[in-house]
Structures are given as structure tokens and as C-alpha cells.
Amino acid sequence: MTDFKDIDEATRTELEAAAFRRLVQLLRDNPQVQNIDLMNLACFCRNCLSNWLKDAADARGVELSKDASREAVYGMPYEEWKARHQNEATPEQAAAFSKGAGGSHA
């Protein structure tokens, strides 16, 4: 069995990209999972993924707007996704975000 670190760089990149695409599809397929819940549970959300995508583009000199990176993750313009799927945070969600993992996201 090959260790992940021993796989050639091009293949590793392909595998990582496939995992990223699968995660993004899972999030698109489950819009009922709110970003604040993701932040409180895992310290990242859809916006984080879109920011990381933009950061990667910037690092490679690829022009990618914040709106375009969000649309790549959300599968639609961000404002449309918010109007369709985003709920107001409950007091419990907001409190958890303020005191816990959500408040320390990147």
C-alpha cells in the first residue's frame, strides 16, 4: 500500500482536487446545512472554501474575483444562495459562534 506522501505530485493534486469537488458537491446538495453550523462544528464554511480558492488563484497569478470564487463553491451567485437557503442565526447558533470554534475561523 502506498503512503499518500509517496504519490507523485501531479497525482496528489488530482486526488486532492477530486476530494475538493466532492466536498463542494456535498455542500451544494445540502443547502439546509447552514454556514454558521459548519463554522460552529468544523471551523470552516462555504465562504471559507471560496476564500481559499481565491487565495490559491491569487498565489498562482490567476484572476478570480471573490464573486466568481463564491459562485464556484455555491453553484450560483452568493446573493441568490443566501436568498434561497440562508436562515437567520438562532440565538443558540450565534452564542456558540461567539464563544466557540466559529469565532476563530480563518
Side-chain angles (χ1 to χ4, degrees), residues 14-69:
E14 290 173 10
L15 296 173
E16 291 164 346
F20 173 80
R21 287 189 296 269
R22 190 169 177 180
L23 173 60
V24 166
Q25 190 60 54
L26 178 69
L27 292 172
R28 286 182 186 174
D29 291 345
N30 292 281
Q32 75 280 7
V33 177
Q34 296 293 297
N35 279 338
I36 195 163
D37 293 323
L38 289 168
M39 290 300 304
N40 287 338
L41 179 65
C43 299
F44 82 96
C45 68
R46 294 169 181 88
N47 288 338
C48 296
L49 286 175
S50 69
N51 291 341
W52 299 338
L53 183 60
K54 180 167 180 5
D55 290 347
D58 290 348
R60 290 184 162 263
V62 175
E63 289 189 35
L64 181 66
S65 71
K66 182 177 180 177
D67 289 339
S69 67

Side-chain angles (χ1 to χ4, degrees), residues 1-9 12 15-16:
M1 181 83 35
T2 303
D3 284 342
F4 190 74
K5 66 180 176 19
D6 295 330
I7 297 172
D8 68 272
E9 186 174 351
R12 250 192 338 248
L15 296 173
E16 291 164 346

